[in-house]
């Protein structure tokens, strides 16, 4: 069997070591970009509201609830269920905004990286 560099058999298709190195560099850059985007998301905040703003919830871009504000006039001891529904709606609204921000931040990360070039390495 013919041997390539370092006593290893040559790679099928003439090597491709340069392509592999380029792909590894792209993956390392993508990993660094994703880490920076995740840090930025954790620092960013998104506000959600319900009931015309009587209940407001602030979450980080990574989806962590930071605060809940409830206007005093919406607190009715005889209708706790409505308040619970407003809180759920405000949290849902804030988390939806955080997910949109995540999608925007992460959406372009894999642009230009040909994951198909990994061939059978991914299973």
């Amino acid at each position: 069997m013919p041997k390539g560099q370092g006593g290893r058999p040559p790679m099928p298709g003439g090597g491709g070591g340069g392509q592999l190195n380029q792909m590894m560099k792209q993956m390392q850059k993508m990993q660094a970009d994703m880490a920076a985007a995740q840090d930025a998301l954790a620092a960013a905040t998104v506000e959600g509201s319900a009931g015309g703003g009587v209940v407001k919830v602030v979450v980080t871009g990574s989806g962590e609830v930071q605060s809940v504000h409830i206007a005093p006039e919406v607190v009715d001891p005889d209708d706790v269920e409505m308040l619970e529904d407003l809180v759920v709606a405000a949290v849902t609204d804030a988390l939806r905004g955080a997910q949109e921000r995540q999608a925007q931040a992460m959406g372009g990360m894999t642009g230009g990286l040909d994951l198909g070039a990994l061939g059978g390495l991914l299973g």
Side-chain angles (χ1 to χ4, degrees):
M1 175 187 264
K3 299 223 174 187
Q5 286 184 318
R8 287 185 243 149
M11 293 181 70
Q19 287 179 341
L20 183 60
N21 287 339
Q22 181 62 31
M23 187 171 46
M24 291 299 291
K25 286 179 185 177
Q26 286 178 330
M27 289 176 65
Q28 288 171 342
K29 182 185 180 321
M30 184 176 67
Q31 185 177 18
D33 290 347
M34 287 181 75
Q38 287 171 339
D39 289 344
L41 283 169
T45 58
V46 178
E47 183 179 288
S49 66
V54 294
V55 176
K56 296 178 184 176
V57 175
V58 175
V59 299
T60 65
S62 57
E64 196 173 307
V65 176
Q66 284 193 326
S67 67
V68 176
H69 172 76
I70 300 172
E73 65 269 15
V74 77
V75 179
D76 180 355
D78 295 327
D79 195 1
V80 174
E81 191 174 322
M82 181 200 54
L83 181 57
E84 292 170 342
D85 290 343
L86 288 170
V87 171
V88 169
V91 170
T92 300
D93 185 43
L95 291 176
R96 186 176 301 119
Q99 289 171 342
E100 288 172 7
R101 191 169 236 171
Q102 289 170 4
Q104 290 170 354
M106 300 296 186
M109 293 290 166
T110 59
L113 181 63
D114 181 11
L115 297 177
L118 292 175
L121 294 177
L122 296 177

